[in-house]
Amino acid sequence: MSKDKAALRSWTKAQIKIGRRAAGPVIVLSVLSALSGAGQMWCMARVLAPILLSSVTDAVSDTGGLPSFIAGFGLFSLLRIATSAGADMLAAQAGDRARRRLRTDILHRVSHHGPSLLRRMHSGALTTLIVDRVEAADGFFARFIPASTLWLLIPAILLVPIALLQGHSAFILLCCGLSVPVCQAVFGIGAAVASRNQFLAMTRLQARFLDRIRGIATIVLSGRAEDEAKKLEQAASDLRQRTMKVLRVAFLSSASIDCAMVVALILVAVTDGRLALHMNAELQAHSISSVEFLTFATSALFVLLMVPEFFAPFRSLALVYQERAHAQGLAAAMLELPELPVQEHSGHSMTAGNGGVSVAFEHVGFTWDPARGQVLHDVSFSVPAGGSVILSGVSGSGKSTIMELLLNFVQPECGRIAIGGTDLQELDPDSWTGMVSWIGQRPTLFAGTLRQNILFAHPTATEKQLMEAVQAASIDKFLSVLPQGLDTLIGEGGFGLSGGQAQRVAIARAWLKNAPLLLLDEPTAHLDPETESEIFESLSRLAEHRTLIMATHSMTTQRIRGQRIELSNGRVQAHRGAA
Amino acid sequence: MSMNRIETDHPLTDRQAIGRILLVWRKRAPALMFGVLLAVVALLCGLALMRGAGLRLAGATVGLVVAGSSVLGVLGGLRVFFRYAERLFAHGAMFRALADLRVWFFRRLAKGSAAGLGFRRSGELLSRLVSDVEALDGLYLRVLLPVVSACIVLPVLFFALAKYSVLVAGGVAVLFVFAAFIFPAMAMKISQRDGGEQLRALAALRVAVLDMTSGIREIRAFGAGHRVVEDIRTVDDQLLMAQSRLMRRSVIAGALSQLCGCLAVLLLLCAVVWGRSIHMSPVVAVGLVFLVIAGFESISGLTRAGVLAGTMGAAARRITASAGHDDPTGSMANAVGYESAPPQGFDVCFEDVGFRWTRNGPVVLKGISFEIPAGAHVVLLGESGAGKSSCAGLLLRVASPESGRILLGGVDISSLPETIVRQKIAWLSQATHLFDDTIRANLLLGRPDADEAALWKALDDAAVGDVVRELPEGLDTWLGEGGVRVSGGQGRRIALARTLLSEAPVLILDEPATGLDSETEQDFLRTLNNISGKRTVILIAHRLTGVETPDYVWRISNGQAESVSQ
């Protein structure tokens, strides 16, 4: 636990370091903006004070300098507007850059660790991480990091002229200002904890929504739509309660700043008011000069106008304080993702000659989940280049696990898999991916056109290569039925195509990829016998001159020559036609 | 199908869409209004406090005590209290309203989705459900609240100044109107397009990421990782560009409104210095300067709200569009004129039913007629695409026949509420979804009040009871997304158990044995034979294996049904 916390802290620290560099110009502009604000207030005080004085005594009418101070007010206003707009723009850019950097990092990690990650995390949860959590971290880089410096810097800078003019007011502001960090520490910690819980609730809610939307037909047809709506209501209300918990504390911390500001404002108004009454009496008694009185009135007005300015940076920090918790939520989620491995010197790269590649399992064992026991025990077999192996066995006997191992999605616990005599682990992963074509029970089709879905396997394929693949997979036979031929739109999950048609798309992909090893994982499990035998025809054409490893329990495969391995509970039960 | 119609029919304007959403929030109106009231009180206290502080100091310099310390203290206390109360209350009310909206969205979606999502993307819908709904929280907190407040501040400023000079009051009021209403409205107009663009980009990003995470096997197997990451980054860049365009607009709008505030103070200062005709005591003038500064400060967020409002219109449109209209299939149960009496029996009868999925699509059924008496075991045979599943869909009112009618217990099902039909008929379709939940929760979807024994019986009937018994957590085993934690055949059988568990007298099993090895398949079909004679079982298959003992077999081909003698 403490190790996790340390990792969390070091991640956040590293991010702050990166963020600070981008925040530099934002901080400079914000300080300039605050100083122009002070200039505005001084000019305003310098205009109002003589007017107040003129109603007390006719002695001076120092209105000569007024136009220049009014012009000064205008100039400082423009300067302030320009600097604060600049700071906002730069801050937004910093946030953009940070989000782009983080999103790319996570995408690379997810793509690298791939399917094994999905056994632990719902794709909806991963999507929330990549989209929403990164989006939520924007405020941390754009606003929190500069604000976390400015809340100290700006009040400290503003305190200098105030102290020079009115020591007692500076003291009031300092005391009220110092109470703020204390309150922040008290409320901020609570807010951080509550905010983490809130993000968890939001992630759960999203995953739930996604799952329910995907299965909405099942819900509706079971007559459970109303129940599910109620449960959703429950989940949404849970999210609300958690969010309110965060806000109750977050608002309390901004209320404490309001409170400090109101106290400072009243104290300054009352003490300076008392002093002013005193000075006024002395002026009437001519014990002080009107110039002294003017100086006092200007300073007093200036300080009073500066009170909201002095507290503004505190307020900005309070507004963005929860951003820190969002960033920590992101950090925690990122630490759950495995790191990208350091780029090793790429292992042996392989190029296959024509006619396949030899594959050998040597005493391979594997466990998915220790609670459910080992799923493969001491599995050994070998296929020569261009040979075929049919794996059979009831569902759950370990066929799919062998496929996952061959795809290098997971690595064997013991034993080894040799490819052309070399251990699979020593091969360069990218070159290995290039050597394998895989067709599963139901291919994943992406929303887009049929053409895009086939070209997925080889985006730079020529039209001629594409047409060859289309013919080889017998897609041309059903093209005429589709409204726009190859440019027909397919819905998510292959909506618009039948199971057999979807499988043909997978076969066309494999043709385009043209890899020496072909892995087929129950490719016809969801098809009727007629379609099944047609698909097998296409598949056996595809398997020519390639090494074939197929998991199936269909009878139709008897036409395919090769070894037959029967698996039961993760063990090789029978082995016929061994090479 | 009706689903694409939902997206394209009568697109609402932004205003209509927002109106529709406000309608959903109707019952939250008192709470939302109370939040506005708190906000206004807090604001007025703040204005009075700033003005009071200025008056106090200015008054003292001329020897007067204008605002007493106790008055300032009370104003300050009220201001802090009401500000906190307002924020807490307004946010609470807002979250309730948002939750209402999400549930409303789901209900509406459910009404039109008996046949699944079709071409709609689950990621896109999720985006609407989550981000778009969230974008709408600004509608109340950042638009409605500050606009109402600004409407209160405007007369306060005007009348405070008009006592001394109508001209100055008018000038300040005009500047205020520009800062609080005109610039924000312009920002809204300009950002409408970009706001929609931003939401679209965000949804596109979500869809792209979801495609990647759910298709990761294919992506890895084809070595497409880098390509897909690059594609997603392109979408991400579009999002960032839309966002920074919006950001620039809102910064410019904010600067303009700030400028108005400065001009108002400048105008007031000039009036005080040179306005000989204005009979305003200097003390009052100082108080007014403080008031004007605080007044403009209170609307500093409105221009950004204008930019947001552009986004909100688009969000509202997207939400109402995908939630569909009141009557997406033209067959909702709440319409009047339905037969109120539920059917007594449950014989199924197709009378001359013609059907196609789309208006101009190929004909699927050409006047099909057959009869299934209550309690019979029937097999519907046919090749892929012959129309077997369409028959099931029609019976469940997923779609409506073009001609002819379907009777359930002698009553035309088009005159029955959907809920009644779906209570009587349970369907194990090929697209039946396993939820990311426990086995128990997945089963209970079939019959929420089923007890432990009933669950086990259903699992045993579906020949999966022993598998579940061996799992360390038994019924409480988490199935994972789409049942990823169990094998395909096991998942299928759990779905079957869920169907068997339902109390519907008619079961439609659409190729329940796909994905099973032949031995298990035969076992499984034998268990189907044992289902109580009181229930009708309609088995949809492309061939008979020989172990079935149906009472009737119908072969569907060329859109017609013919009886196959045993």
Side-chain angles (χ1 to χ4, degrees), chain A residues 88 99 103 112 118 122-123 127 132 135 211 214 224 226 254 280 404 444 456 492 513 528-529, chain B residues 61 87 107 121-122 206 210 213 217-218 220-221 227 236 243 304 384 436 448 481 542-543:
Chain A
D88 284 353
R99 273 183 293 154
R103 206 164 262 151
H112 184 269
L118 278 188
H122 191 280
S123 63
T127 308
D132 302 279
E135 207 61 10
D211 198 38
R214 278 183 176 164
R224 288 281 162 285
E226 198 44 44
S254 57
N280 181 266
E404 304 260 306
T444 303
F456 170 75
E492 188 172 87
K513 188 169 179 189
D528 60 87
Chain B
T61 52
R87 292 173 121 189
R107 285 211 173 99
R121 317 282 310 266
S122 49
R206 207 183 292 270
L210 205 55
T213 52
R217 306 184 140 265
E218 255 82 357
R220 277 293 302 276
R227 215 161 74 216
D236 190 26
Q243 283 172 334
R304 305 224 164 151
S384 307
D436 185 18
E481 184 176 5
H542 34 257
R543 63 192 154 93

Side-chain angles (χ1 to χ4, degrees), chain B residues 34 72 90 98 100 126-127 144 150 175-176 185 188 192 253 258 273 317 335 342 425-426 434 482 487 495 507 559:
Chain B
F34 188 63
L72 290 181
L98 289 184
D100 285 353
L126 181 72
S127 200
L144 226 57
L175 285 168
F176 188 86
M188 182 177 86
Q192 249 161 13
Q258 238 183 319
V273 174
R317 222 173 40 229
I425 305 169
L434 286 176
S487 78
L507 301 183

Side-chain angles (χ1 to χ4, degrees), chain A residues 160-453:
Chain A
V160 175
I162 295 173
L164 290 177
L165 293 170
Q166 286 200 322
H168 65 276
S169 296
F171 181 70
I172 293 171
L173 285 178
L174 184 66
C175 289
C176 290
L178 282 178
S179 77
V180 171
V182 177
C183 295
Q184 288 294 303
V186 172
F187 301 128
I189 294 164
V193 173
S195 167
R196 254 200 299 284
N197 292 340
Q198 182 231 353
F199 230 105
L200 198 66
M202 186 170 137
T203 308
R204 280 205 200 117
L205 185 68
Q206 284 214 28
R208 185 182 184 93
F209 272 142
L210 182 63
D211 198 38
R212 294 324 189 246
I213 288 175
R214 278 183 176 164
I216 197 154
T218 305
I219 291 173
V220 172
L221 292 176
S222 313
R224 288 281 162 285
E226 198 44 44
D227 283 1
E228 281 300 321
K230 291 232 169 68
K231 283 188 199 158
L232 226 54
E233 217 160 2
Q234 189 64 46
S237 127
D238 186 40
L239 178 66
R240 175 178 58 82
Q241 276 160 10
R242 284 177 193 280
T243 312
M244 286 312 293
K245 238 183 231 165
V246 179
L247 293 182
R248 218 168 288 151
V249 185
F251 292 162
L252 213 56
S253 76
S254 57
S256 73
I257 295 170
D258 274 0
C259 204
M261 189 192 93
V262 166
V263 169
L265 190 74
I266 294 175
L267 282 179
V268 168
V270 170
T271 48
D272 275 351
R274 207 165 282 155
L275 265 177
L277 279 176
H278 185 66
M279 297 279 271
N280 181 266
E282 283 187 30
L283 184 67
Q284 302 295 350
H286 298 288
S287 49
I288 55 167
S289 73
S290 60
V291 176
E292 271 174 283
F293 187 81
L294 187 67
T295 316
F296 164 76
T298 310
S299 323
L301 277 174
F302 171 71
V303 171
L304 195 59
L305 285 166
M306 285 306 286
V307 173
E309 301 287 324
F310 180 82
F311 284 95
F314 293 119
R315 278 208 237 172
S316 318
L317 182 66
L319 279 180
V320 298
Y321 202 77
Q322 79 252 29
E323 307 291 357
R324 191 184 145 84
H326 285 168
Q328 279 170 341
L330 173 69
M334 286 205 53
L335 289 175
E336 271 178 43
L337 286 182
E339 286 278 345
L340 272 181
V342 196
Q343 199 71 48
E344 303 161 23
H345 53 286
S346 52
H348 299 268
S349 73
M350 273 195 99
T351 43
N354 223 353
V357 60
S358 73
V359 174
F361 266 58
E362 296 169 6
H363 309 289
V364 172
F366 185 78
T367 309
W368 281 111
D369 176 1
R372 298 203 199 163
Q374 209 168 338
V375 290
L376 287 185
H377 306 265
D378 192 28
V379 171
S380 296
F381 63 87
S382 66
V383 214
S388 309
V389 173
I390 313 284
L391 303 168
S392 59
V394 295
S395 57
S397 60
K399 303 187 298 284
S400 297
T401 306
I402 289 180
M403 292 295 170
E404 304 260 306
L405 285 166
L406 279 168
L407 282 164
N408 206 11
F409 290 170
V410 288
Q411 285 72 43
E413 238 166 34
C414 50
R416 67 168 205 155
I417 302 169
I419 307 297
T422 318
D423 190 336
L424 177 56
Q425 299 317 308
E426 284 161 22
L427 287 179
D428 170 44
D430 284 345
S431 82
W432 174 239
T433 304
M435 293 177 64
V436 191
S437 279
W438 169 76
I439 298 177
Q441 299 189 7
R442 287 174 200 231
T444 303
L445 298 185
F446 301 102
T449 64
L450 189 55
R451 181 192 302 275
Q452 286 166 349
N453 266 290

Side-chain angles (χ1 to χ4, degrees), chain B residues 356-368:
Chain B
R356 46 185 159 178
W357 283 102
T358 51
R359 222 165 291 162
N360 304 314
V363 175
V364 181
L365 300 174
K366 307 174 194 161
I368 197 170

Side-chain angles (χ1 to χ4, degrees), chain B residues 59-333:
Chain B
T61 52
V62 297
L64 299 168
V65 177
V66 184
S69 353
S70 55
V71 174
L72 290 181
V74 168
L75 280 177
L78 287 178
R79 142 113 194 139
V80 173
F81 171 76
F82 276 108
R83 182 94 182 96
Y84 181 71
E86 171 233 327
R87 292 173 121 189
L88 207 58
F89 192 85
H91 277 82
M94 191 61 222
F95 285 128
R96 270 177 218 278
L98 289 184
D100 285 353
L101 197 58
R102 290 209 171 96
V103 173
W104 172 82
F105 180 86
F106 181 81
R107 285 211 173 99
R108 298 290 291 269
L109 189 67
K111 280 186 186 172
S113 296
L117 294 176
F119 281 108
R120 289 178 292 175
R121 317 282 310 266
S122 49
E124 168 80 31
L125 288 174
L126 181 72
S127 200
R128 291 179 185 202
L129 204 54
V130 179
S131 327
D132 293 0
V133 170
E134 222 146 46
L136 283 176
D137 75 353
L139 178 62
Y140 173 66
L141 292 176
R142 298 200 216 165
V143 179
L144 226 57
L145 270 185
V147 165
V148 172
S149 303
C151 291
I152 304 281
V153 174
L154 179 61
V156 168
L157 282 186
F158 182 78
F159 287 115
L161 289 165
K163 254 194 274 177
Y164 308 101
S165 161
V166 178
L167 202 67
V168 174
V172 170
V174 167
L175 285 168
F176 188 86
V177 167
F178 266 95
F181 304 114
I182 293 180
F183 288 137
M186 276 166 57
M188 182 177 86
K189 261 276 164 317
I190 295 169
S191 66
Q192 249 161 13
R193 202 198 51 216
D194 282 333
E197 175 72 32
Q198 182 199 345
L199 288 176
R200 260 195 305 281
L202 190 61
L205 178 67
R206 207 183 292 270
V207 165
V209 169
L210 205 55
D211 254 0
M212 170 178 172
T213 52
S214 48
I216 192 88
R217 306 184 140 265
E218 255 82 357
I219 288 168
R220 277 293 302 276
F222 284 102
H226 285 288
R227 215 161 74 216
V228 171
V229 168
E230 281 317 304
D231 288 350
I232 294 179
R233 290 187 60 186
T234 314
V235 179
D236 190 26
D237 282 345
Q238 282 165 3
L239 172 68
L240 291 175
M241 242 145 71
Q243 283 172 334
S244 64
R245 261 202 307 276
L246 265 183
M247 181 68 201
R248 243 187 333 255
R249 300 251 151 87
S250 77
V251 167
I252 291 170
L256 283 175
S257 132
Q258 238 183 319
L259 192 64
C260 285
C262 293
L263 285 177
V265 173
L266 206 59
L267 178 69
L268 195 58
L269 287 180
C270 292
V272 172
V273 174
W274 290 295
R276 294 274 167 240
S277 60
I278 303 168
H279 305 293
M280 190 195 297
S281 83
V283 177
V284 170
V286 172
L288 287 177
V289 168
F290 274 76
L291 181 67
V292 168
I293 292 175
F296 275 87
E297 181 66 37
S298 76
I299 54 154
S300 58
L302 260 178
T303 36
R304 305 224 164 151
V307 175
L308 279 180
T311 320
M312 279 168 218
R317 222 173 40 229
R318 285 159 52 89
I319 290 171
T320 49
S322 50
H325 302 294
D326 282 321
D327 200 353
T329 54
S331 58
M332 292 322 296

